[in-house]
Amino acid sequence: MRQTRLLIPTLREVPAEAEVVSHKLMLRAGMIRQIARGIYDFLPLGVRVLRKVERIVREEMQRAGAQEVLLPAVCPAELWQESGRWEHYGKELLRMKDRNDRDFCFGPTHEEVITDLVRRDVRSYRELPLNLYQIQVKFRDEVRPRFGLMRGREFIMKDAYSFHLDRADCDREYDTMYATYRRIFTRCGLRFRPVEADTGAIGGSRSHEFQVLADSGEDAIVSCEQCEYAANVEKAAIGAASDSATAGGAASQRDAGRAQEATPLRKVATPGKRSVEEVSAFLGVPAERFVKSLVYVVDGGDAVVAMVRGDHALSEAKLKEALGAQTVALASADVVARVTGAPVGFAGPIGLKTGLRRIADRALAGLTDGVAGANEADQHLVGVVQARDLADVEFADLRVAGEGDPCPRCGGRFVLQRGIEVGQVFQLGTKYSAAMHATVLDAEGAERVLEMGCYGIGVTRTIAAAIEQNHDDAGIVWPMPLAPFHVVVMPVNWSDERLRTTAIRLHDELEARGIDVLLDDREERPGVKFKDADLIGHPLRITVGPRALERGAVEIKHRTESTAAEVPVDDAAAHVAALVGAAMDLAQG
Ligand code: ATP
Ligand code: MG
């Protein structure tokens, strides 16, 4: 392919709209353009990378026995009403009406549509198991679309849905998909980690996220230093050792007894001081001695008071699990005032009206001489002793995990890393099939509700993640399997006939070997061409220059290396083909 025949509008300046590296580089390399918030055009280079990711995804899904379908992007509201998500999905769902005033949405995910297809066309257990997937444009009206392809409103997803007669078969497919995802991201040439995840709004029972490791990632994950355990911090179970190991945690009974005498519970004035930080500074008491109390509304009904230590964060995913709830939402100021009698910032777990459920993170067990809200404006309680003042609260693992917390499996230490969620696999159980009556007849002729799994990959987000993980000051450093071109052939002077003929010859030889090769046939200064090549991130560069050519040679260089190897023109194509092959093999795992 000749560069002059491709629309590659590279930019020297860093576009002001872009915050993260992948977004900046994709704009600068002329891969994408934004046309509205979170909505992008893909230019030829962008499309080439997109097709490479898609191809790897397709090949691995086919290998795993999944079948490709293509469902509509515009979906009728009736299906979403059946599952109940027309009401629950909220503002992320882009809703629209047709000319006859019928409701539709632009699909953000396709559980309803696929369940409808299967309930109509699959009648017998003999047709199971079934795994159907598609690669399609989705729309989610995200509150904060940002970071380019990382969190768009319109984006491309591979979504797969599997259907089974029983849970055991669904388990088997889950394991197959887990392994398939490992293969996919390995083949993309990315460093990633599968981690245990919350099942979130989609619902269900078992889930893993595939996280591409990058410091700029939006997600925090912990992995054990000693064993294989890894999980999203919202979900990561915290082992038992922590309570005694961490500062301000459980003290022995004897200490608690002594502290009880030493610290009578009393009220102190904290005028206008609401946050743990403010009160901590005002009283001169460290945050880890605080009981942070948060009022939550559970499943849209009752309120509960949830507590974590002042220096910890509450995980809503864990709270939901501990309460066995479908949804938990932070209470409004009105609700807080009604249940605690105090404005937000002064709520506390002591002296509340009876019957209000109180649940505390385990790190609060054994707290002595603590601080809590007094349920009165501008007042806090000091001298809180858990064993005395909070003897009857429930305890659960409620906090967001962090660096150094103990592993639930082996007691090893957690290491904190950042990641970009590029895929997620879920076991859905019968959430959708039961709501939508998707059943088959089993061998005995009895009607059975289908077990389901669903498996998503953010195809466009994977491209952004690849760049977040692989770049330097000069531009993108593509992993070979995703590179728009494996190699660029760069004659330093296009109008020099000898250089031009050699470059064209090498280009043709490489193309004949099935290598994705770009010929930089622009009449530009070499400096400009080299800069563009580094910005676009071609893994390999063949420079055709007068001096080496005198010796019958060209220079071959890796994107990240500063020195080039001189190779005879006659061997250059074979040499490059071998380098490309080796890099692709490496990514095959
Ligand atoms: P997130 O937590 O990042 O909002 P999600 O968990 O809601 O994502 P899923 O429903 O699991 O997303 O969708 C499957 C995959 O689609 C995700 O793993 C992610 O890679 C991708 N994806 C989701 N939302 C977006 C988005 N707004 N832009 C780009 N890709 C997305
Ligand atoms: Mg997800």
Side-chain angles (χ1 to χ4, degrees), residues 140 142 149-152 155 157 421-424 458 461:
R140 294 184 183 178
E142 301 267 356
L149 296 192
M150 205 90 100
R151 185 168 296 284
F155 59 97
M157 197 201 285
E421 180 201 322
V422 288
Q424 186 162 13
R461 186 185 281 180

Side-chain angles (χ1 to χ4, degrees), residues 229-264:
Y229 185 80
N232 193 302
V233 290
E234 296 284 329
K235 164 90 181 174
I238 296 171
S242 75
D243 297 345
S244 53
T246 47
S252 70
Q253 279 307 106
R254 189 171 41 88
D255 287 347
R258 207 169 49 211
Q260 196 161 328
E261 289 159 32
T263 62

